[in-house]
């Protein structure tokens, strides 16, 4: 009842107005229905009601018996990701007591009917908005896993997928881990899964001893076990409101959207855990996920980043041309990087300059240190012509770089 009244729930999305419209219709209907059932009677007319005593006794008993099994096992309703399910059993009794309180304190039938109608409607709005939230969350899960398969078509056995924090709500880490195995695992052997997921910042010093290579990562959920290593990990950043899923490496150290804690994860991100040749590409099983995410800009970005890992520079630029022909544009300056590097490796220094100054620099604030670092890498690794050296000097001056 309280959730729909929270300020953050008062949005201007279509679902909010849909729920509001349904609430208005139902509220009026219930008020008229209740009024017909109990026509107006003067408040001076007193009647002895057995209902109040009976309702209090039955409601109290239902609350006590419904919560008894949780109380004797010391289960906490307010702690834990799924603990609110413990309120389902006592809910029957709470509903009876709530109606009794309204009936006791609001003697005027019309006002009581209005109050009960409003209470019912608030609960209905909560259910609609909650259903919508889970629907959107499911779409986000599909989006995360789809983008992951675009970037990592196949994974080596023993890979741990890490993100700094949970990629989406209403889920536990083992739920994400199970999803990875549904998508990537060809078979399971003796309850040991080949892939796992952890929200890394929650586990330093526990499941992840430290953010250094060659340290064991072990986890167990009931009879499911996983054995991996920090050297067999992939670190991703997933913030769908800001851009595409990104595989993080040491090259992202100066990325402006990373915190220092997130930068500490970079040494254990190993792109070689991605099998980019000779293995069948994995996709989301349709019998589980029901629908596929249609290619968007993120599809082209993920495929370009994969081609960058393979150093297939011409393919990176072909992907850029295909995406531009469809009208797609990068969401952030960091998403220009595969194309900047590809243009430079192919000797198209002017295009690399344009993407840097007119693209990445304009798209994301405070990205200059990252761009300077990447251009220094290009200066050290790509043989430059006289034109390339001139472009390099102009870019360093425009950013500017120290």
């Amino acid at each position: 009842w309280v959730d729909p009244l929270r300020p953050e729930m008062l949005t201007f999305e279509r679902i909010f107005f849909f729920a509001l419209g349904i609430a208005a219709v139902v509220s009026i209907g219930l008020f008229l229905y209740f009024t017909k059932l109990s026509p107006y009677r003067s408040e001076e007319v007193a009647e002895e009601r057995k209902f109040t005593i009976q309702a209090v006794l039955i409601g109290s008993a239902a609350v006590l018996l419904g919560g008894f099994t949780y109380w004797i096992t010391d289960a906490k309703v307010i702690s834990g990701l799924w603990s609110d399910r413990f309120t389902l059993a006592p809910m029957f009794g709470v509903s009876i007591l709530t109606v009794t309180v309204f009936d006791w304190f609001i003697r005027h039938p019309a006002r009581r009917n209005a109050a009960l109608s409003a209470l019912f409607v608030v609960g209905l709005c909560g259910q609609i908005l909650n259903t919508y939230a889970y629907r959107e969350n499911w779409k986000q899960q599909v989006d995360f896993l789809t983008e992951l398969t675009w970037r990592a078509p196949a994974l080596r056995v023993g890979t741990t997928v890490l993100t700094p924090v949970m990629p989406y709500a209403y889920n536990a880490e083992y739920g994400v881990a199970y999803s990875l195995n549904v998508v990537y695992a060809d078979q399971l052997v003796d309850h040991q899964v080949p892939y796992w997921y952890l929200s890394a910042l929650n586990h330093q010093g526990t499941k992840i001893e430290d953010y250094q290579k060659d340290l064991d990562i072990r986890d167990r959920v009931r009879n499911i076990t996983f054995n991996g290593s920090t050297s067999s990990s992939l670190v991703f950043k997933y913030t769908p409101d800001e851009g595409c899923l990104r595989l993080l490496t040491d090259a992202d150290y100066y990325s402006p959207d990373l915190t220092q804690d997130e930068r500490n994860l970079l040494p254990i991100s190993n792109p070689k855990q991605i099998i980019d040749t000779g293995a069948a590409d994995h996709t989301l099983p349709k019998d589980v996920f029901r629908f596929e995410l249609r290619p968007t800009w993120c599809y082209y970005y993920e495929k370009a980043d994969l081609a960058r890992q393979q150093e297939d520079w011409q393919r990176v630029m072909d992907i850029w041309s295909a995406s531009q022909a469809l009208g797609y544009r990068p969401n952030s300056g960091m998403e220009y990087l595969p194309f900047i590097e590809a243009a430079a490796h192919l000797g198209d220094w002017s295009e690399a300059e344009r993407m840097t100054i007119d693209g990445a620099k304009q798209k994301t604030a405070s990205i200059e240190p990252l761009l300077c670092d990447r251009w220094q890498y290009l200066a050290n690794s790509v043989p430059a012509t006289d034109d390339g050296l001139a472009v390099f000097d102009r870019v360093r001056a425009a950013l500017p770089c120290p």
Side-chain angles (χ1 to χ4, degrees):
W1 285 318
V2 176
D3 280 352
L5 303 178
R6 289 181 294 145
E8 59 267 28
M9 299 298 288
L10 303 179
T11 69
F12 293 97
E13 297 182 15
R14 285 183 297 176
I15 184 62
F16 175 75
F17 291 107
F18 172 77
L20 198 62
I22 293 293
V25 173
V26 174
S27 179
I28 295 172
L30 285 174
F31 176 75
L32 295 175
Y33 176 72
F34 288 146
T35 301
K36 184 178 179 181
L37 285 182
S38 53
Y40 175 79
R41 292 178 294 111
S42 173
E43 291 182 342
E44 284 74 23
V45 178
E47 293 183 356
E48 291 293 334
R49 294 185 179 180
K50 294 182 180 180
F51 168 77
T52 301
I53 298 176
Q54 293 173 346
V56 169
L57 291 176
I58 294 174
S60 300
V63 170
L64 293 173
L65 294 175
F68 180 72
T69 54
Y70 307 129
W71 295 324
I72 63 173
T73 56
D74 198 30
K76 300 294 190 300
V77 173
I78 60 174
S79 63
L81 188 59
W82 314 116
S83 296
D84 57 355
R85 71 186 187 273
F86 298 149
T87 64
L88 291 175
M91 194 176 294
F92 172 69
V94 172
S95 299
I96 294 177
L97 292 174
T98 302
V99 172
T100 305
V101 168
F102 273 75
D103 183 71
W104 177 262
F105 285 100
I106 306 176
R107 292 294 185 178
H108 194 288
R111 294 172 185 169
R112 182 175 63 244
N113 293 341
L116 289 174
S117 298
L119 189 65
F120 182 88
V121 165
V122 170
L124 177 61
C125 282
Q127 294 299 320
I128 294 174
L129 295 174
N130 199 44
T131 300
Y132 176 76
Y134 272 90
R135 174 178 175 270
E136 291 301 298
N137 181 264
W138 175 247
K139 289 167 62 177
Q140 199 171 62
Q141 293 183 44
V142 172
D143 179 75
F144 172 79
L145 292 169
T146 300
E147 290 189 33
L148 183 62
T149 58
W150 288 340
R151 180 58 183 85
L155 297 175
R156 301 187 188 281
V157 171
T159 298
T160 308
V161 173
L162 305 174
T163 59
V165 295
M166 285 291 294
Y168 37 78
Y170 308 132
N171 220 309
E173 290 177 322
Y174 62 81
V176 184
Y178 293 165
S179 298
L180 290 178
N181 285 278
V182 168
V183 173
Y184 285 105
D186 296 322
Q187 60 180 356
L188 301 179
V189 179
D190 295 332
H191 305 290
Q192 183 166 329
V193 292
Y195 309 107
W196 203 244
Y197 167 83
L198 291 173
S199 54
L201 297 184
N202 293 327
H203 295 293
Q204 185 178 20
T206 54
K207 295 177 182 179
I208 304 174
E209 183 179 343
D210 202 355
Y211 302 145
Q212 299 177 7
K213 296 180 180 180
D214 299 322
L215 298 177
D216 289 339
I217 296 178
R218 302 180 186 276
D219 205 357
R220 180 185 184 92
V221 179
R222 299 180 180 88
N223 65 331
I224 302 297
T225 61
F226 172 79
N227 296 315
S229 166
T230 52
S231 297
S232 303
S233 301
L234 292 167
V235 179
F236 289 92
K237 186 175 180 66
Y238 181 65
T239 50
D241 292 338
E242 300 175 9
C244 306
L245 176 76
R246 282 165 47 216
L247 174 63
L248 301 180
T249 66
D250 288 328
D252 295 285
Y253 186 84
Y254 294 103
S255 185
D257 63 337
L258 298 185
T259 66
Q260 187 56 50
D261 286 338
E262 291 171 332
R263 292 187 177 98
N264 294 338
L265 291 170
L266 300 181
I268 61 173
S269 186
N270 181 12
K272 293 181 180 179
Q273 290 300 113
I274 297 173
I275 305 175
D276 51 16
T277 57
D281 291 357
H282 289 77
T283 58
L284 274 60
K286 291 183 180 180
D287 58 335
V288 176
F289 294 94
R290 298 298 180 186
F291 68 93
E292 291 183 273
L293 192 68
R294 289 181 294 179
T296 59
W297 157 253
C298 288
Y299 169 81
Y300 293 94
Y301 167 73
E302 303 297 353
K303 290 303 183 184
D305 202 36
L306 178 62
R308 174 175 67 163
Q309 178 182 333
Q310 299 166 329
E311 298 186 356
D312 188 346
W313 306 116
Q314 186 57 56
R315 174 161 171 73
V316 174
M317 293 311 296
D318 289 344
I319 291 172
W320 172 259
S321 298
S323 69
Q324 298 308 288
L326 294 172
Y328 292 127
R329 296 292 183 271
N331 299 300
S332 69
M334 287 72 75
E335 293 174 8
Y336 278 94
L337 293 180
F339 308 104
I340 293 172
E341 291 188 19
H345 277 90
L346 294 175
D348 193 349
W349 291 97
S350 296
E351 180 67 2
E353 178 185 20
R354 185 192 68 79
M355 290 182 179
T356 301
I357 304 304
D358 299 334
K361 186 175 185 294
Q362 300 300 320
K363 196 72 174 179
T364 301
S366 304
I367 197 175
E368 290 82 2
L370 175 63
L371 295 175
C372 289
D373 178 74
R374 290 295 82 202
W375 272 88
Q376 187 60 53
Y377 156 77
L378 293 173
N380 296 335
S381 60
V382 181
T385 61
D386 291 340
D387 290 342
L389 292 174
V391 168
F392 177 71
D393 291 336
R394 288 202 302 269
V395 169
R396 286 180 57 85
L399 286 174
C401 299

